[in-house]
Amino acid sequence: MQERLVERAKELLTDGTVVRVLGWKQGDLGYNPEPAYFNSPEELADFVYDGFCGANLSKYMIQAGKMEGNTLVFLKPCDTYSFNQLIKEHRVNREKTYIIGVGCKGTLDIDKIKNAGIKGIESISQDGDMLKIQTIYGEKEFPFDDALLERCTVCKGKTHQVYDELIGAQEGEEAGPKGNRFEMVEKLEAMTPKERFAFWQNELSKCIRCNACRNACPACSCLKCVFDSNKFDSAQKANVDTFEEQMFHVIRAFHVAGRCTDCGECSRVCPQGIPLHLLNRKFIKDINEFYGPYQAGEDTDSRAPLTDYTFEDVEPSVVTERGGKH
Amino acid sequence: MQRIGVFVCHCGTNIAATVDVARVVEAAAKEPGVVHAEDYQYMCSEAGQLKIREAIKEKNLTGIVVCSCSPRMHENTFRQAAERAGINPYMVEIANIREHCSWIHKDIEEATEKAVILARAAIAKVTLNAPLQSGTSRVVKRALVIGGGIAGIQTALDIADAGYEVDIVEKTPSIGGRMSQLDKTFPTLDCSACILTPKMVEAAAHEKITIYTYSEVEKVSGFVGDFQVDIRKKARSVDMSKCTGCGVCQEKCPSKKTPNEFNRGLNTRSAIYTPFAQAIPNVPVIDRENCIKFKTGKCGVCSKVCQAGAIDYEQKDEIVTQNYGAIVVATGFDTIKLDKFDEYSYSTSPDVITSLELERIMNAAGPTKGHLERMSDHKPPKSMVFIQCVGSRCADKRGKSYCSKICCMYTAKHAMLIRDKYPGVEVTVFYIDVRTPGKNFDEFYRRAVEEYGVNYIKGQVGKVAEKGDKLLVQGVDLIDNKRILMETDMVVLATAIEPNPDVRKIATMLTASIDTNNFLTESHAKLRPVESPTAGIFLSGVCQGPKDIPETVAQAGAAAVKVVGLLAKDHLVTNPCVAKSDELLCNGCSSCEKVCPYGAISYEEREVNDHGIRETRRVANVNSALCQGCGACTVACPSGAMDLQGFSNRQILAEVDAICK
């Protein structure tokens, strides 16, 4: 697959369709590829596509759209939801983008492997249902499915929502493993407000405000974030008490509500392992229940439930009645 | 630096009895920026306003806070006072320490603490206020009346007589409304049709009135002075310009089994029909759901018999778009459904009827041609029981908490008419209270009891059961304190009335507020009873609350005067508290454009200079003439670029901070 992608990228660079390629390149370790631009066929030597290429490249296209010439971008099925949502918000330039939809079997969570006691990892390759892991202590095996990121265990589908061509994927491909996406949200809803507060206090107090979630999130794409602007007092307000990070994360969740495609990047990139996606999923669950099923990024022109009004819309009293258990 | 004055009103004892105003003055005086603080018995009085004006001049105040009643009451008063003293009227903030404080608290300590906090929030806000200037907007000299019952007709006639164009939109095929279904009207017993139909004719003939029947309001945009409304004229399937109203089509129509809505389903009608003989316009409609031609493609009898060639099966719905300066809601009422009141056997026995059904039975043009008879066997009844308050004044959720207001009087009317025409029929009325406040109303009720021998029993009925061809009524007599078990031939239920179910949809389109019972809310219960809180929307008739015909007509006239007062203006002063977008923060995402109910936001490609970076960006642009300052865009905007002047994000956060301090 990786070879096919490189080959096609070279062709498109050579024939002038695009002037740069946005993909992933090998990182310092065997399991941390990073997003990268490739400006010539030669540079593509570093290109990599494997189970650790979790990074959603759609957000980089905001910047790429402003550059000279067209850009080729590789998008996994769930990344295309983010790209579509950005089209809807007029943040990316579809005309200057050539999208290759790449097949995806699920992306991996290195921490799941490490937590299983596998240390000194040098490289990881896939062999059927198993991962073959080269370590300084010799070769180890680990089941592929057990290493999947949480988001991939509840995969929302293998169908690309927007693309110019597909490689390693078929149109209308069936979803992969599918758990109950809202299982943990339901558990949180069942808690008393006190328990729920304690849960989030515990989780959010780990936050070191590195801003990785904000930087990775395709919905968090404001030219100037309210937390960076002196026009608002949000930044200072977020730092006033011992539970300082609640403001930041709660405001962030509100700002992306109805626009979040549930790509899971916030939790994937969090160095502290905070399950940030649960805040967004609570919104998604509520939106689904109050206004009917809605998936942000499924299209580029519909009116999203939170920015639309219909006569069938749920009444405020019903929201109060259904808004979680007290 | 702002120089702020704080003025605390006692409102007689309304505030001062619960809030220690001296302490509010003392606390306010210590707030940063406050250079003057005082209290007075009635701040809104001329003497109170003079105090404000003098303080502004003497102390060179730049902004003022008035701690008083709701801004909806006197914000304008104090803005004008400030303007007279030479400062911008938008440098005034109100701390509502009456409705939000003294009226809802009992404890002086707590209420005073809250009043201080509210004052502090208003001071924090006014510190960030900036002078704002109003603009003007046009007034379209045309009114829309939604609903063609007596309320709508009267309002339209009064507006039209004042010289303004009026359009009536009526959902059913004819104007006339509920009143056209009534037989006689209390307390004078004149025939409903005799007094209503001349008004219908007058409205139809009036050169300033356009009537859209079989039509519905589909979309409303714009604002006071300039609403844009889409009216859907449903396909009548009959060409109004050709139809002569001869009625042959209705006679010959082979589909005659549709329940007749006008007669409350007591008999049936043809698929092509006019609801009643005096209908205006006298042009039938084809009920496409029940028409054989539309269902099977075969038939076409009406088309064959129509000499005028008026039948048009191909006719399509038509959308009429029109601008209006004012809109009157006159959507009326219906009786509640009785499916939750099984104890009265309404759904099982045809001899248990509602009062509105009795109106049709008593009416000479009704299903029995005016003969009083049981619907089961068409025999005249020998005795009748009327049950009051069915679903009205109801303690549980099955019915309505309110009094439907008209039932006591129409029941007395029915009882009296029956005793007059059929003296052999025994009439019993079960009631909770008999409520007859109205001119000549109590006299009317007493006549029913004293002259016509109607048997009034204070008590409620627990059950009506079928027993052979009779009905068994179980009730209580609270005065004699005994249970009553009586047999009767007919039972009439004084069924509660409720607003027309369509009103929710209409209120939503108009952004007019409704209460928990779906009655439209008036702007002020006493002082602005025919105005909706939404500017340019007026209320006429039962859509605002239960009322009888005289009250409806009076209110209809009142609403008309308010409309005329608005339409007579050359232009309106606009609210300067409008949204404004910061182009450097705008992402161009269109969220604000999507939520704007007034279509005031558009996007444009504009070159911006972002701290030296010059680039062309897609940014939001607010048309301040269209913006009504609702603030929906400010909360939809993820980046905080959109802000509302006079209610900026910083001002609101400053208020929150002051409250939490």
Side-chain angles (χ1 to χ4, degrees), chain B residues 6 8 20-32 34 37 112-113 115-117 119-120 123:
Chain B
V6 180
V8 186
D20 183 345
V21 287
R23 260 167 62 199
V24 179
V25 170
E26 199 185 314
K30 288 183 192 144
E31 288 296 304
V34 175
T112 305
E113 191 190 343
V116 168
I117 290 170
R120 213 183 270 151
I123 294 165

Side-chain angles (χ1 to χ4, degrees), chain A residues 66 88-91 221-224 226 229 231-233 237 255 259 302-303 306-307 309 311 315, chain B residues 504-505 508-509 582 585-590 594-595 617-618 638-641 649-650 653 657:
Chain A
K66 291 179 181 170
K88 192 182 211 168
E89 294 171 13
H90 307 273
R91 305 288 283 128
S221 64
C222 286
L223 288 165
K224 187 120 189 144
V226 293
S229 173
K231 197 182 165 194
F232 314 96
D233 305 328
K237 279 187 202 311
H255 280 201
R259 302 158 55 229
S302 73
R303 300 273 298 253
L306 294 184
T307 52
Y309 183 81
F311 294 120
E315 296 287 334
Chain B
R504 280 193 84 80
K505 197 175 154 189
T508 306
M509 282 193 271
D582 182 336
L585 292 178
C586 179
N587 295 332
C589 74
S590 283
K594 283 176 182 151
V595 297
R617 286 188 193 162
R618 182 178 194 275
S639 65
N649 292 327
R650 285 194 74 181
L653 277 177
D657 280 349

Side-chain angles (χ1 to χ4, degrees), chain B residues 559-580:
Chain B
V561 169
K562 297 291 175 186
V563 170
V564 168
L566 170 62
L567 298 189
K569 292 194 169 96
D570 291 329
H571 61 260
L572 297 172
V573 175
T574 57
N575 172 13
C577 297
V578 294
K580 205 175 168 187

Side-chain angles (χ1 to χ4, degrees), chain A residues 6-40:
Chain A
V6 171
E7 195 183 319
R8 184 66 184 131
K10 280 182 180 164
E11 277 172 30
L12 290 165
L13 273 173
T14 314
D15 71 14
T17 308
V18 297
V19 299
R20 76 184 66 77
V21 176
L22 179 55
W24 305 267
K25 77 170 185 190
Q26 194 64 56
D28 299 334
L29 304 167
Y31 45 79
N32 66 344
E34 55 200 42
Y37 288 116
F38 303 88
N39 294 303
S40 65

Side-chain angles (χ1 to χ4, degrees), chain A residues 108-222:
Chain A
L108 303 173
D109 184 352
I110 190 65
D111 290 336
K112 283 191 175 174
I113 299 169
K114 285 181 178 171
N115 291 344
I118 301 175
K119 302 263 156 65
I121 301 168
E122 289 180 317
S123 70
I124 301 175
S125 61
Q126 198 184 338
D127 183 12
D129 294 339
M130 297 304 283
L131 292 171
K132 292 235 179 307
I133 305 166
Q134 302 299 328
T135 75
I136 51 174
Y137 310 107
E139 190 180 285
K140 300 266 165 72
E141 284 202 333
F142 195 81
F144 180 86
D145 281 354
D146 291 355
L148 283 174
L149 279 162
E150 190 275 350
R151 68 177 186 198
C152 299
T153 64
V154 294
C155 177
K156 58 178 169 281
K158 301 287 188 200
T159 309
H160 289 79
Q161 303 301 310
V162 56
Y163 59 86
D164 292 299
E165 65 178 273
L166 294 175
I167 295 181
Q170 291 150 5
E171 217 166 318
E173 204 171 310
E174 286 299 302
K178 225 178 194 175
N180 173 11
R181 182 149 73 112
F182 299 114
E183 194 180 340
M184 192 56 205
V185 175
E186 281 158 12
K187 277 187 192 154
L188 284 169
E189 284 173 344
M191 288 180 185
T192 63
K194 228 176 185 172
E195 289 167 345
R196 200 154 52 226
F197 189 82
F199 173 86
W200 281 114
Q201 188 161 38
N202 177 47
E203 290 294 346
L204 297 180
S205 62
K206 297 177 201 163
C207 175
I208 53 172
R209 273 303 287 282
C210 67
N211 284 338
C213 51
R214 187 182 78 175
N215 293 350
C217 174
C220 245
S221 64
C222 286

Side-chain angles (χ1 to χ4, degrees), chain B residues 397-418:
Chain B
K397 278 192 170 171
R398 296 190 305 162
K400 304 294 179 184
S401 58
Y402 52 84
C403 165
S404 294
K405 204 173 179 180
I406 53 176
C407 323
C408 286
M409 286 301 289
Y410 69 59
T411 298
K413 172 190 78 177
H414 287 151
M416 197 188 292
L417 289 170
I418 288 165

